[in-house]
Amino acid sequence: MTEQERVEAYNYDSFIPENFLPKMRFHESPKLGEKVESFPLWKESDRGETSLEEVVSSHDLTVIEFGSFT
Amino acid sequence: MNQLAEDYADRGVGSIFLYTNEAHPGENYAHHQSMEDKFRTAAELRLQDGVTRPIFLDALTGECHMHFGSMPNMTWILNKRMIPIYKSDWTNAESVRNALEYFVQLPERRKAGETLVPFQVERLDYKDQNQKRFYERLARYGDKSVTEFRESMKAIGLG
């Protein structure tokens, strides 16, 4: 799958079951107690690039809410 | 969740909002085709919904979101060594507060001499499902968002 195809598949244009159901895989998500990998992230306030690990390592605990405006 | 972040900020707890794909794209807020689109709707979240926590954007291809299970509004708590200690497939401030209240007192118990070791727990938490408010939100995104949600829920037997 090309980068463009991955962008289009992830950013579906219609909320229909064939678009969103295959992506919902919470049952396959990382296990509690096992270290997770880091990913690049971009801060909304200044658009600077950072990483999940950099953000998480700055506090004893970090609450991460995933979501979007819609 | 903003209030929760404030309440625990001085107890070693950071709180962020990790911006994903648009769950319910509509006429007014379409799906992302670029990071510029994503920055724009993330700003709408901060301005219109009043999110005061730092907002971080995932890549346009959603690697981080997909790694954690791709649910549209889930919450995780990680310790500073990148180890998840709580995960919820839906965000509920009461559930997160309950978990945090437990976790933040563990260091004191260790200092007091307890030898604490982790074990796995599963349980169901419960949230108030306010459908009227949810549909009012959907209407902000456009009629398409409302129609698609209603039809999708019927299609998967939840409507």
Side-chain angles (χ1 to χ4, degrees), chain A residues 20-21, chain B residues 129 131 135 149-159:
Chain A
F20 68 82
L21 277 183
Chain B
Q129 179 112 317
Q131 287 287 63
Y135 273 100
F149 181 80
R150 189 173 284 129
E151 291 178 354
S152 290
M153 291 303 102
K154 282 182 190 163
I156 62 175
L158 296 175

Side-chain angles (χ1 to χ4, degrees), chain A residues 7-69:
Chain A
V7 168
E8 290 171 4
Y10 177 63
N11 298 284
Y12 54 79
D13 62 358
S14 296
F15 184 78
I16 54 177
E18 51 265 47
N19 282 347
F20 68 82
L21 277 183
K23 294 178 180 61
M24 296 167 80
R25 296 193 304 272
F26 192 71
H27 58 288
E28 296 173 3
S29 65
K31 293 179 180 173
L32 298 177
E34 296 183 7
K35 186 175 180 178
V36 294
E37 60 186 282
S38 187
F39 294 88
L41 299 175
W42 289 264
K43 195 167 186 179
E44 186 269 333
S45 59
D46 61 9
R47 302 195 173 196
E49 184 173 349
T50 181
S51 69
L52 181 64
E53 186 160 25
E54 189 174 345
V55 172
V56 164
S57 64
S58 63
H59 292 88
D60 293 335
L61 302 176
T62 301
V63 177
I64 305 169
E65 179 182 3
F66 290 78
S68 65
F69 181 58

Side-chain angles (χ1 to χ4, degrees), chain B residues 5-65:
Chain B
E6 287 180 29
D7 292 347
Y8 285 88
D10 62 355
R11 300 172 78 179
V13 179
S15 297
I16 68 167
F17 192 100
L18 207 155
Y19 206 89
T20 64
N21 55 344
E22 295 304 320
H24 302 286
E27 297 92 333
N28 303 331
Y29 301 97
H31 64 290
H32 307 142
Q33 300 183 70
S34 65
M35 283 301 281
E36 189 62 35
D37 290 344
K38 197 162 184 164
F39 274 112
R40 193 177 306 121
T41 48
E44 291 294 329
L45 177 83
R46 176 170 49 77
L47 294 168
Q48 293 201 38
D49 285 355
V51 172
T52 54
R53 291 158 284 159
I55 300 173
F56 292 90
L57 278 63
D58 190 9
L60 192 57
T61 42
E63 273 86 358
C64 184
H65 185 209

Side-chain angles (χ1 to χ4, degrees), chain B residues 3-156:
Chain B
Q3 185 62 53
L4 192 68
E6 287 180 29
D7 292 347
Y8 285 88
D10 62 355
R11 300 172 78 179
V13 179
S15 297
I16 68 167
F17 192 100
L18 207 155
Y19 206 89
T20 64
N21 55 344
E22 295 304 320
H24 302 286
E27 297 92 333
N28 303 331
Y29 301 97
H31 64 290
H32 307 142
Q33 300 183 70
S34 65
M35 283 301 281
E36 189 62 35
D37 290 344
K38 197 162 184 164
F39 274 112
R40 193 177 306 121
T41 48
E44 291 294 329
L45 177 83
R46 176 170 49 77
L47 294 168
Q48 293 201 38
D49 285 355
V51 172
T52 54
R53 291 158 284 159
I55 300 173
F56 292 90
L57 278 63
D58 190 9
L60 192 57
T61 42
E63 273 86 358
C64 184
H65 185 209
M66 290 195 289
H67 182 75
F68 283 88
S70 301
M71 299 303 286
N73 189 209
M74 58 184 171
T75 289
W76 291 65
I77 301 174
L78 270 58
N79 70 18
K80 67 190 314 172
R81 291 178 292 134
M82 294 285 281
I83 294 173
I85 57 172
Y86 167 96
K87 62 178 183 179
S88 172
D89 67 2
W90 198 255
T91 293
N92 178 266
E94 188 179 3
S95 174
V96 177
R97 184 181 295 277
N98 183 287
L100 283 176
E101 201 54 39
Y102 175 77
F103 291 130
V104 297
Q105 48 84 41
L106 295 181
E108 288 301 320
R109 289 177 57 186
R110 285 201 169 94
K111 278 185 195 167
E114 286 191 63
T115 304
L116 300 173
V117 295
F119 62 97
Q120 297 280 331
V121 178
E122 288 188 36
R123 74 177 201 188
L124 287 175
D125 279 4
Y126 292 83
K127 64 186 176 73
D128 177 26
Q129 179 112 317
N130 190 325
Q131 287 287 63
K132 182 173 179 287
R133 193 168 56 209
F134 180 71
Y135 273 100
E136 286 171 354
R137 278 189 64 91
L138 279 179
R140 285 199 300 176
Y141 318 142
D143 292 342
K144 175 176 176 287
S145 301
V146 177
T147 302
E148 286 178 353
F149 181 80
R150 189 173 284 129
E151 291 178 354
S152 290
M153 291 303 102
K154 282 182 190 163
I156 62 175

